[in-house]
């Protein structure tokens, strides 16, 4: 964020959390509560249902675990004693083996390998699978080599006959007839096997799986968001659909590989196929937590066990989140009869204090040599293993009462959520879970009536917005799942109380009411800087729209599609974007916009149809950015406008993907995108709408000047923002009738240079008019009497020859003060003009009554017609205010919400009209690179008239 303090630890993530008010600093924790300090220093409790992403089965800071941890540290218990005996680690292994034996009767003993986190335990399991596969492959080839030697010896001793069937060998190798030819056959078998040995190992995981984000474990995580960028760093994993054993069997069969062996059968040497260990392992979660709380079925568990046994594929059961009793049994896999070759545990194994995890491998599959090739400095340390042992003791006490409590508390929460789903079937899509691993899935809000809600849904951030409301309004902390953006995850400790469950129900009822009625104000008010108990209204109102909200209703496709990338400039446009925000005052609305600075995009609006008198039509779609003019200005001051430019580029690409052939970059965004020229989106026409805005503003002023002064000729014109692109064009084109032009700059660095460039341009425009033979008026008429100009005319100098700089230099030499063009940063000089164009980029008005002469005409171009300077008229009835860059439309088209706050019925901003005009005319290429020339302005004004647009003079 601009002007934000520098952060060094996950600055982007913290900034994103800040957009939702979730960047809270907690100072204390116990059971299911986290505490932060309010402005008075008082502790505020928050019900924590995130539970350390499932690490807090026993809650925050369980007193017995904390006391034991203190005891360990205070007594000097060795934390690091690598390469020594670790009896406590053995005790942890003994307890875990006892639990395995209880939940999987008849299970083999399991060896334990410790790690620091769940993802590291997964990495250890994957490494062990591959280590086992390599050793099996080595053993297989040693056996094949031995069998070949046995066969060759038997052949030489006359104890075996030569093989008569070589069909298993590729090619047309004939059956051998001599010992030498049999030796050649063995060579071909070895070459065949060597080729097969190069087969890459294949691992399997389930679609929707989440197994971590380390280099290896991320390959097993299904969501491409976490995996795709790192695919080249690890082996490709084959994902199979959950609960579809037939699909797994089919996919696995495609990866099965065989090698050739020889054996003596009934006195004949025979070629046989052996299964090559190409399949390295299958990773499964009994309940897919991050994948959306989806459980595997007992039928699937039984069948994959059979399939994997057939090919000796080890099954690794990931119990990192589901284990430790969270679902009502220590292993969630035991409830569905899923017997693994290895299990991985983590999260709650450390009791919420220590960082530890473990991999258990059954004895018949364990490779002891693995301990020599895999290690970790911090795994199996004295502190974490001791804490893990105490955690297991607490879970197992009273015959595992903790597991029964997890099942009972979970069922109570699930019953409450199912009741909620029954009351709000339009809002709640599903309730899933077992024990204290629960997911509440909301209905898709990507077509929500509220743009605020819709945008969060389209960005995959809906649950962050809902979680923000629950935390700020109800002091309830929830979390998302990694792969289901519409699901709230609920993972409290076993100590969650009835009162806390009721607190959750109250908050969720409000969420459901908000979504049902599309009342975004209630949802975002806590983010606007206002106290929750001082909301502008307490009740949730119904903002579901009536049918047909300006969307395209015409039958058949339009002739063309066009897009407009814009952003709300004012609180009024935010209110227009989402009517539910109407009761929020300006400060609160701007505070919300600033809060969402990292989330600039609002959803595209439904397209609006415009029918041209020429018989063509265009569908216009608006792609807004949630950035205020003040924020844009801050980006400009800090030199970070490229960040907005990246957002504009992304939205232009989105418009192109939607089929738009023409895209307008409007409402001040042209300056951060080189007026379209800096965008690198091929095959699309880009315009900032400036040419038609300039042309319509000049036309409107000329009409009003005719009414007020009998015509524009001879008037003095002031252009505030005369160094800008729009201001420069207005100043240059008004030289055809203005007697004098006052250019007013900001005084900031570079302003003087820009004003000088505009002055040169004015003189260039004047010379072109004079040299082309036009009847000279205004600056042109006066300038034509200057000796330099007279001489050029006599010499037949070309109109298009660069002449502005020479004229400016001549005027500076011939006159003490330029009588035609004045460049200044003094706003008071505006009082010398009868016509004032306000074309600055300031986020606030800069003119007031003291800056304006009697009966002056002020044409407001600063925000392209958003009445930014209208306050100057409050006490001056003699002034005439003109909204610059406004056009009327013949068919009174209804604009999408958010871009018409300052327009009347049947009116369009010139920038919007230019987009439509170019789309209807089939223009191509960037329309706004370079200067806004008279030729360009005249051309677009003429085209706009042909398609039914007329300048508004009010």
């Amino acid at each position: 964020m601009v002007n934000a303090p520098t952060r060094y630890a996950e600055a982007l993530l913290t900034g994103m959390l800040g957009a939702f008010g979730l960047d809270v600093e907690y100072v204390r924790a116990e059971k299911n509560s986290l505490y932060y300090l309010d402005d008075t220093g008082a502790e505020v409790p928050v019900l924590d249902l995130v539970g350390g992403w499932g690490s807090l089965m026993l809650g925050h800071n369980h007193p017995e675990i904390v006391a034991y941890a203190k005891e360990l540290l205070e007594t000097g218990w060795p934390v690091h004693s690598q390469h020594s005996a670790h009896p406590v680690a053995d005790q942890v292994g003994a307890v875990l083996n006892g639990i395995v034996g209880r939940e999987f009767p008849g299970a083999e003993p399991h060896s334990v390998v410790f790690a620091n986190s769940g993802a590291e335990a997964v990495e250890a399991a994957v490494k062990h699978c591959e280590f086992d596969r390599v050793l099996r492959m080595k053993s297989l080839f040693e056996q094949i080599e031995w069998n070949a030697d046995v066969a060759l010896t038997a052949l030489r001793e006359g104890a075996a006959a030569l093989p008569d069937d070589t069909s298993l060998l590729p090619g047309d190798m004939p059956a051998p007839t001599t010992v030498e030819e049999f030796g050649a056959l063995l060579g071909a078998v070895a070459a065949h096997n060597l080729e097969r040995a190069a087969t890459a190992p294949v691992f399997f995981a389930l679609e929707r799986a989440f197994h971590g984000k380390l280099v290896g474990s991320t390959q097993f995580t299904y969501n491409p968001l976490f995996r795709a960028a790192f695919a080249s760093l690890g082996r490709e994993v084959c994902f199979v659909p959950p609960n579809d054993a037939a699909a797994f069997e089919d996919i696995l069969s495609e990866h099965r590989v065989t090698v050739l062996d020889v054996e003596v059968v009934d006195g004949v040497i025979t070629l046989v196929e052996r299964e090559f260990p190409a399949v390295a392992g299958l990773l499964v979660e009994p309940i897919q937590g991050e994948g959306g709380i989806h459980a595997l079925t007992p039928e699937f568990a039984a069948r994959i066990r059979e399939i994997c046994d057939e090919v000796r594929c080890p099954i690794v059961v990931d119990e990192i989140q589901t284990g430790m009793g969270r679902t009502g049994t220590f292993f969630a896999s035991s409830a569905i009869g899923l017997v693994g070759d290895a299990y991985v545990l983590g999260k709650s194994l450390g009791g919420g204090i220590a960082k530890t995890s473990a991999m258990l491998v059954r004895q018949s599959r364990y490779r002891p040599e693995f301990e020599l090739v895999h290690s970790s400095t911090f795994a199996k340390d004295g502190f974490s293993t001791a804490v893990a042992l105490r955690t297991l003791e607490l879970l197992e006490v009273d015959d595992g009462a903790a597991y029964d409590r997890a099942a009972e508390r979970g069922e109570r929460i699930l019953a409450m959520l199912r009741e909620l789903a029954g009351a709000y079937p339009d809002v709640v899509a599903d309730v899933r879970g077992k024990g204290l691993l629960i997911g509440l899935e909301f209905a898709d809000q990507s077509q929500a009536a509220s743009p605020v809600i819709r945008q969060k849904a389209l960005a995959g951030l809906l649950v962050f917005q809902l979680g923000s409301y629950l935390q700020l309004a109800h002091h309830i902390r929830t979390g998302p799942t990694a792969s289901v953006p519409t699901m709230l995850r609920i993972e409290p400790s076993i100590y969650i109380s009835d009162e806390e469950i009721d607190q959750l129900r109250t908050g969720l009822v409000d969420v459901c009411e908000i979504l049902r009625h599309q009342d975004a104000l209630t949802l975002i008010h806590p983010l606007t800087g206002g106290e929750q108990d001082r909301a502008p209204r307490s009740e949730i109102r119904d903002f579901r729209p009536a049918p047909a909200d300006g969307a395209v209703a015409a039958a058949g496709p339009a002739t063309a599609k066009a897009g407009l990338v814009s952003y709300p400039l004012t609180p009024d446009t935010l209110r227009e974007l989402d009517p539910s925000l109407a009761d929020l005052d300006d400060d609160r609305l701007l505070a919300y916009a600033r809060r969402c600075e990292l989330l600039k995009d609002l959803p595209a609006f439904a397209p609006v149809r415009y029918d041209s008198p020429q018989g063509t039509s265009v569908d216009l779609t608006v792609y807004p950015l949630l950035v205020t003019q003040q924020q844009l200005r801050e980006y400009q001051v800090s030199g970070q406008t490229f960040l907005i430019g990246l957002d504009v580029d992304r939205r232009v690409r989105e418009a192109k993907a939607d089929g738009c052939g023409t895209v307008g970059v409007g409402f001040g965004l042209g300056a951060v995108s080189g007026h379209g020229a800096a965008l690198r989106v091929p095959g699309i026409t880009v315009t900032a709408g400036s040419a038609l805005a300039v042309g319509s503003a000049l036309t409107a002023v000329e009409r009003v000047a005719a009414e007020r002064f009998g015509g524009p000729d001879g008037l003095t014109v002031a252009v505030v923002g005369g160094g800008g692109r729009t201001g420069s064009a207005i100043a240059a084109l008004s030289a055809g009738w203005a007697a004098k032009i006052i250019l007013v700059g900001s005084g900031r660095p570079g302003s003087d240079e820009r004003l000088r460039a505009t002055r040169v341009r004015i003189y260039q425009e004047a010379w072109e008019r004079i040299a082309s033979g036009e009847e000279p008026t205004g600056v042109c008429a006066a300038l034509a009497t200057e000796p330099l100009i007279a001489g050029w005319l006599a010499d037949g100098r070309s109109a298009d020859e660069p002449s502005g700089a020479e004229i400016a230099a001549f005027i500076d030499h011939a006159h003490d003060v330029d009588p035609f063009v004045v460049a200044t940063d003094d706003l008071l000089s505006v009082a010398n003009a009868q016509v004032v164009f306000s074309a600055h980029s300031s986020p606030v008005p800069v003119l007031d009554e003291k800056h304006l002469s009697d009966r002056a005409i002020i044409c407001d171009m600063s925000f392209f017609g958003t009445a930014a300077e209208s306050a100057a008229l409050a006490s001056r009835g003699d002034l005439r205010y003109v909204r610059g860059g406004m056009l009327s439309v013949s068919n009174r088209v209804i604009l999408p919400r958010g871009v018409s706050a300052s327009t009347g019925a049947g009116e369009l901003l010139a920038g919007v009209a230019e987009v439509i005009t170019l789309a209807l005319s089939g223009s191509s290429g960037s329309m706004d690179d370079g200067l806004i020339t008279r030729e360009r302005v005249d051309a677009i004004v003429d085209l706009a008239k042909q398609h039914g647009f007329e300048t508004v003079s009010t």
Side-chain angles (χ1 to χ4, degrees):
M1 293 175 63
V2 178
N3 300 327
T6 300
R7 291 190 176 102
Y8 299 99
E10 296 185 328
L12 176 62
L13 178 59
T14 305
M16 293 287 287
L17 292 174
F20 296 100
L22 300 176
D23 55 339
V24 179
E25 180 184 359
Y26 294 104
V27 297
R28 191 168 70 84
E30 64 177 350
K31 290 190 176 179
N32 287 297
S33 295
L34 283 163
Y35 297 84
Y36 68 90
L37 302 180
D38 65 15
D39 293 340
T40 68
E43 282 191 344
V44 179
V46 175
L47 172 60
D48 180 19
L49 301 180
V50 175
W53 303 125
S55 300
L56 299 172
M57 178 70 174
L58 296 175
H60 288 281
N61 294 323
H62 189 284
E64 292 188 44
I65 297 176
V66 170
Y68 184 58
K70 287 181 178 179
E71 178 185 335
L72 292 171
L73 296 174
E74 289 171 354
T75 58
W77 184 260
V79 176
H80 294 290
S81 55
Q82 293 89 343
H83 272 224
S84 65
H86 290 270
V88 175
D90 285 331
Q91 292 177 55
V92 173
V95 174
L96 289 173
N97 268 278
I99 296 171
V100 171
R102 180 185 72 225
E103 297 201 354
F104 299 95
E108 302 175 26
H110 285 65
S111 295
V112 182
V113 175
F114 288 91
N116 301 290
S117 68
E120 290 183 37
V122 168
E123 301 250 336
V126 170
K127 284 180 66 178
H128 187 274
C129 286
E130 176 60 5
F131 189 65
D132 173 62
R133 189 192 74 87
V134 169
L135 292 181
R136 284 191 288 126
M137 182 172 63
K138 179 175 180 290
S139 177
L140 172 63
F141 284 122
E142 288 174 346
Q143 184 63 48
I144 291 174
E145 184 180 9
W146 172 265
N147 290 344
D149 185 65
V150 167
L152 185 59
T153 299
L155 178 64
R156 286 171 175 165
E157 294 176 352
L162 287 165
D164 56 6
D165 182 4
T166 59
S167 60
L168 291 179
L169 269 173
D172 297 322
M173 174 169 278
T177 59
T178 65
V179 173
E180 290 74 15
E181 289 178 357
F182 179 67
L185 182 144
L186 290 179
V189 167
H192 172 79
N193 289 347
L194 185 63
E195 180 183 349
R196 294 298 178 93
T199 302
V202 59
F203 283 90
F204 295 92
L206 301 183
E207 295 173 1
R208 298 195 302 254
F210 183 93
H211 295 289
K213 297 180 183 176
L214 298 181
V215 169
S217 59
T218 196
Q219 310 301 328
F220 293 85
T221 292
Y222 181 68
N223 191 334
L225 177 66
F226 306 125
R227 173 173 47 87
F230 312 104
S232 63
L233 300 181
R235 288 292 185 190
E236 182 178 353
V237 173
C238 184
F239 292 96
V240 298
N243 292 324
D244 189 343
F248 173 55
E249 188 171 17
D250 290 343
I251 297 172
L252 186 144
S253 66
E254 296 174 3
H255 290 85
R256 294 181 69 170
V257 176
T258 60
V259 291
L260 293 178
D261 193 5
V262 293
E263 62 181 11
V264 180
V265 179
D266 297 330
V268 179
I269 299 173
T270 305
L271 286 174
V272 296
E273 287 186 307
R274 306 288 187 201
E275 187 85 26
F276 176 76
V279 177
L282 166 67
L283 270 67
V284 295
E285 302 159 278
I287 301 175
Q288 296 179 307
E290 301 291 351
I293 322 296
H294 292 280
L296 301 185
T297 65
E299 296 77 15
F300 180 73
R303 183 61 185 133
I304 62 172
R305 182 70 271 175
E306 294 173 354
I307 296 169
C308 288
D309 283 343
E310 181 183 343
V311 296
R312 294 202 67 194
C313 170
I315 298 177
V316 178
V317 181
D318 184 341
E319 294 267 12
I320 293 167
Q321 187 163 203
T322 57
M324 303 295 296
R326 177 161 292 281
T327 64
T329 53
F330 187 91
F331 290 100
S333 51
S334 68
I336 59 172
L338 175 58
V339 179
D341 298 288
Y343 301 89
V344 286
L345 295 167
K347 293 190 181 291
S348 286
L349 182 60
I353 298 294
K355 298 177 177 63
T356 187
S357 60
M359 172 188 69
L360 287 71
V361 185
R362 65 185 176 100
Q363 194 172 59
S364 61
R365 296 302 297 261
Y366 184 61
R367 298 284 189 170
E369 309 97 306
F370 183 70
E371 299 165 18
L372 304 178
V373 297
H374 176 83
S375 64
S376 170
T377 299
F378 293 96
K380 202 179 67 172
D381 70 82
F383 177 79
S384 63
T385 51
V387 171
L389 180 61
R390 180 55 56 93
T391 300
L392 291 170
E393 291 170 349
L394 289 171
L395 290 173
E396 288 286 298
V397 74
D398 296 333
D399 296 324
Y403 313 139
D404 295 335
R405 181 169 176 83
E408 183 274 328
R409 292 285 83 187
E411 188 53 44
R412 184 178 180 90
I413 296 172
L414 284 165
M416 179 271 289
L417 295 177
R418 291 175 185 131
E419 179 185 344
L420 194 72
Y424 295 93
D426 53 327
V427 174
V428 178
D430 198 7
V431 174
R432 296 191 292 273
K434 187 176 178 61
L436 293 172
L437 179 57
I438 298 169
L440 175 64
E441 186 173 0
F442 291 97
D444 178 32
Q445 296 290 326
S446 61
Q447 300 299 318
S450 163
V452 170
I453 295 173
R454 186 165 74 250
Q455 182 271 333
K456 296 304 185 293
L458 291 170
L461 298 171
L462 177 66
V463 292
F464 284 90
Q465 187 70 70
L466 301 181
S468 165
Y469 170 76
L470 286 171
Q471 178 155 323
L472 300 178
H474 292 274
H475 294 157
I476 300 170
R477 186 171 184 255
T478 60
T481 60
S483 300
V484 183
T486 54
M487 175 169 279
L488 277 179
R489 181 167 54 172
I490 300 170
E491 286 189 276
S493 80
I494 59 174
Y495 300 112
I496 187 167
S497 66
D498 291 347
E499 292 76 16
E500 289 170 331
I501 294 174
D502 289 341
Q503 180 184 353
L504 173 61
R505 182 186 186 282
T506 299
L508 289 176
V509 166
D510 277 2
V511 166
C512 289
E513 286 287 316
I514 289 169
L515 292 179
R516 170 174 284 180
H517 296 102
Q518 298 290 291
D519 188 355
L521 180 147
T522 308
L523 195 63
I524 72 166
H525 178 260
L527 294 170
T528 65
E531 297 294 331
Q532 182 59 26
D533 57 0
R534 296 182 183 176
R537 53 180 169 82
S538 57
E539 76 282 5
I540 296 172
R541 295 181 184 172
D542 195 344
F543 288 92
R544 287 172 288 186
D549 188 24
V552 174
T559 307
K561 290 183 178 181
L564 177 67
V565 180
S566 64
Y567 63 96
L569 299 175
T570 67
D572 283 342
T573 53
L574 277 172
R575 295 185 186 99
E576 188 184 16
L577 278 164
D578 196 320
S580 73
L581 307 181
D583 291 325
L584 285 175
D585 62 34
D586 289 4
D587 290 341
R588 301 282 73 79
L589 283 167
L590 292 175
Y592 173 69
R594 184 171 292 281
R595 169 85 76 166
C596 296
E597 190 161 5
L598 291 176
L599 310 171
K600 300 179 182 69
D601 292 0
L602 284 165
F605 284 97
V608 171
R609 175 69 55 88
Y610 179 80
D611 294 311
S612 167
Q614 302 295 320
T616 54
S617 61
V618 64
D619 285 344
L620 176 70
T621 301
V622 175
Y623 300 84
L625 295 179
L626 188 58
V627 180
T628 66
Q629 180 75 2
Q630 179 64 42
Q631 288 170 292
L632 182 60
R633 187 61 184 159
E634 290 173 5
Y635 277 98
Q636 292 172 328
V637 171
S638 65
Q640 293 180 302
T641 53
F642 71 93
L643 294 174
I644 300 291
L646 293 175
D647 294 322
V648 173
D649 186 88
R650 183 180 66 255
R651 293 298 251 176
V652 171
R653 291 180 185 277
E654 181 182 346
K656 180 183 178 182
D658 289 342
C660 296
T662 304
V663 177
V665 181
F667 302 156
L669 291 176
V672 299
S673 63
H675 304 281
L679 298 174
R680 295 295 180 261
V681 185
I684 194 168
T685 298
V686 179
T687 177
S690 306
L692 188 54
V694 168
S696 60
L698 288 168
T699 298
V701 165
E702 290 171 13
R703 289 178 183 172
V704 174
E707 299 171 5
R708 177 154 289 205
F709 302 112
D713 293 351
L715 299 180
T716 296
V717 171
V719 183
V720 181
R725 189 165 182 272
T726 300
S728 174
I730 289 173
L733 299 187
S734 64
W737 47 265
K740 186 174 183 178
I741 301 172
I742 302 171
L743 303 175
V744 184
S746 64
R748 294 191 300 271
S751 176
D752 287 346
E753 182 179 348
R754 289 190 293 271
L755 292 181
R756 285 195 295 270
T758 299
R759 178 173 175 247
V760 168
R761 183 182 176 188
I762 291 170
Y763 283 131
Q764 180 66 41
E765 175 70 24
W767 164 248
E768 291 174 4
R769 289 176 181 267
I770 294 168
S772 64
E774 293 184 22
E775 183 67 29
T777 58
V779 169
C780 298
L783 199 61
T785 64
E786 294 289 332
L788 176 68
I789 304 302
W792 283 354
L793 290 173
D795 294 339
R797 186 183 180 98
S798 171
D800 58 5
E801 187 170 344
S803 306
E806 292 183 63
I807 296 174
F810 170 80
I811 296 298
D812 289 339
H813 177 75
H815 301 271
D816 293 335
V817 176
D818 189 332
F820 313 119
V821 182
V822 175
T824 179
D825 60 6
D826 183 4
L827 273 175
L828 292 176
S829 64
V830 172
N832 297 315
Q834 293 85 40
V835 175
V836 179
F837 289 92
S838 180
H840 58 78
S841 60
S842 170
V844 296
V846 301
L847 298 175
D848 59 35
E849 60 179 80
K850 71 175 180 291
H851 297 123
L852 301 168
S853 66
D854 293 344
R855 305 184 68 231
I857 301 169
I858 175 172
C859 182
D860 190 357
M861 295 288 295
S862 56
F863 295 171
F864 281 7
T866 54
E869 301 287 5
S870 59
L873 280 70
S875 59
R876 291 282 300 275
D878 62 310
L879 301 176
R880 178 66 184 274
Y881 182 82
V882 176
R883 292 175 299 152
M886 300 295 300
L887 294 106
S888 64
V889 291
S890 58
N891 63 353
R892 298 174 68 84
V893 66
I894 301 173
L895 272 183
R897 295 194 304 268
V899 296
S900 57
S902 63
T903 61
E907 292 181 344
L908 278 179
L909 296 171
V912 181
E914 182 167 325
V915 176
I916 295 173
T917 297
L918 292 173
L920 291 169
S921 305
S923 301
S924 61
S926 176
M927 296 292 106
D928 278 303
D929 53 331
L931 298 175
I932 304 172
T933 64
R934 180 161 49 130
E935 291 75 18
R936 180 176 292 177
V937 169
D938 290 344
I940 193 66
V941 168
D942 181 61
L943 278 174
K945 287 180 180 179
Q946 294 177 34
H947 291 293
F949 296 108
E950 294 289 342
T951 296
V952 173
S953 301
T954 56

